[in-house]
Amino acid sequence: NAGVTQTPKFQVLKTGQSMTLQCAQDMNHNSMYWYRQDPGMGLRLIYYSASEGTTDKGEVPNGYNVSRLNKREFSLRLESAAPSQTSVYFCASSEYMLIRGNEKLFFGSGTQLSVL
Amino acid sequence: GQQVMQIPQYQHVQEGEDFTTYCNSSTTLSNIQWYKQRPGGHPVFLIQLVKSGEVKKQKRLTFQFGEAKKNSSLHITATQTTDVGTYFCAGKSGGSNYKLTFGKGTLLTVNP
């Protein structure tokens, strides 16, 4: 099993450009998440999807949109990239976030994004 | 909102020394998780603690959850170079099912 797969691994954008980060999991998990990681800031939740068909904002949703395409796939879109969005982005999944004990997160390998 | 504070931010040890990182929450937690991230890698789940006062061990790693469920610690005995990485705690408060709040992590480096 591949687990959680993210693409691309690296991306450089110019300010104002748009792009979509792709994420897919093959563990039949219900819940999926997008985090960003900045030096000294830990992991901050951007958006999450508790189950197929639902999405909700996390701590830092401004400037992002998400789509839960199906149970396997959860994409993150930057409509107009800004330098403040330079970060490492991690997709994660869990069996089902709303049931205690099923919240163990499996992370993808990350996307290093630079916005110039 | 819920805050999870983790100390120290950095720790450098000689191989064979012990290491401890501490996690404190501003609110009572329903559970706490610990993750390890190797340099250049992604976070990997280590363990989840649920019960007040719970202690769990994984080889040289000992995890504790405080009696009041507001703090936790990870202790590594006799560190090895393979222990290098950033250790994160992540706590979930009972009132918000989704909100797993991560601490900022402790970066451990080990001098061989």
Side-chain angles (χ1 to χ4, degrees):
Chain A
N1 285 345
V4 179
T5 304
Q6 281 183 244
T7 55
K9 292 191 182 302
F10 302 94
Q11 184 72 50
V12 179
L13 294 177
K14 294 181 179 178
T15 297
Q17 287 185 318
S18 62
M19 79 158 296
T20 300
L21 281 64
Q22 307 287 352
C23 176
Q25 51 89 13
D26 62 3
M27 296 173 283
N28 201 35
H29 284 172
N30 290 285
S31 303
M32 298 186 73
Y33 316 77
W34 277 104
Y35 286 89
R36 61 177 288 174
Q37 185 175 35
D38 302 293
M41 296 296 291
L43 290 150
R44 293 183 292 171
L45 183 64
I46 305 171
Y47 270 93
Y48 68 98
S49 171
S51 60
E52 186 179 358
T54 69
T55 61
D56 280 290
K57 296 178 180 179
E59 299 173 65
V60 288
N62 291 345
Y64 306 95
N65 284 301
V66 291
S67 295
R68 184 74 183 267
L69 304 169
N70 48 54
K71 191 172 185 180
R72 290 187 64 247
E73 299 173 285
F74 189 39
S75 63
L76 178 72
R77 182 159 179 85
L78 286 70
E79 290 291 351
S80 179
S84 61
Q85 294 179 303
T86 293
S87 188
V88 179
Y89 291 85
F90 287 102
C91 177
S93 69
S94 66
E95 194 169 345
Y96 191 43
M97 68 187 305
L98 297 181
I99 295 178
R100 182 170 154 176
N102 286 356
E103 309 107 324
K104 171 182 174 181
L105 295 177
F106 293 81
F107 284 85
S109 57
T111 297
Q112 179 107 38
L113 175 66
S114 295
V115 183
L116 306 178
Chain B
Q2 179 185 333
Q3 289 189 330
V4 174
M5 315 294 278
Q6 197 173 347
I7 56 169
Q9 192 174 0
Y10 307 98
Q11 184 80 59
H12 178 75
V13 300
Q14 288 293 125
E15 190 171 21
E17 291 182 338
D18 291 356
F19 160 77
T20 305
T21 174
Y22 300 91
C23 190
N24 293 288
S25 170
S26 56
T27 59
T28 301
L29 301 170
S30 61
N31 60 46
I32 193 157
Q33 299 178 4
W34 286 91
Y35 292 80
K36 177 183 178 181
Q37 184 178 23
R38 294 182 187 275
H42 59 276
V44 174
F45 176 85
L46 293 176
I47 208 159
Q48 177 169 273
L49 305 172
V50 178
K51 298 177 183 176
S52 170
E54 189 169 14
V55 178
K56 287 189 176 180
K57 293 190 175 185
Q58 290 180 349
K59 297 183 180 178
R60 294 177 295 103
L61 278 61
T62 302
F63 303 84
Q64 291 188 319
F65 200 10
E67 294 289 340
K69 300 184 76 174
K70 296 180 77 172
N71 58 74
S72 181
S73 65
L74 158 59
H75 179 82
I76 302 178
T77 304
T79 54
Q80 300 175 358
T81 54
T82 53
D83 295 324
V84 165
T86 301
Y87 293 85
F88 292 98
C89 63
K92 178 174 285 194
S93 62
S96 51
N97 286 321
Y98 72 88
K99 195 168 175 61
L100 190 68
T101 302
F102 279 82
K104 294 184 179 180
T106 296
L107 173 61
L108 171 65
T109 56
V110 180
N111 199 30

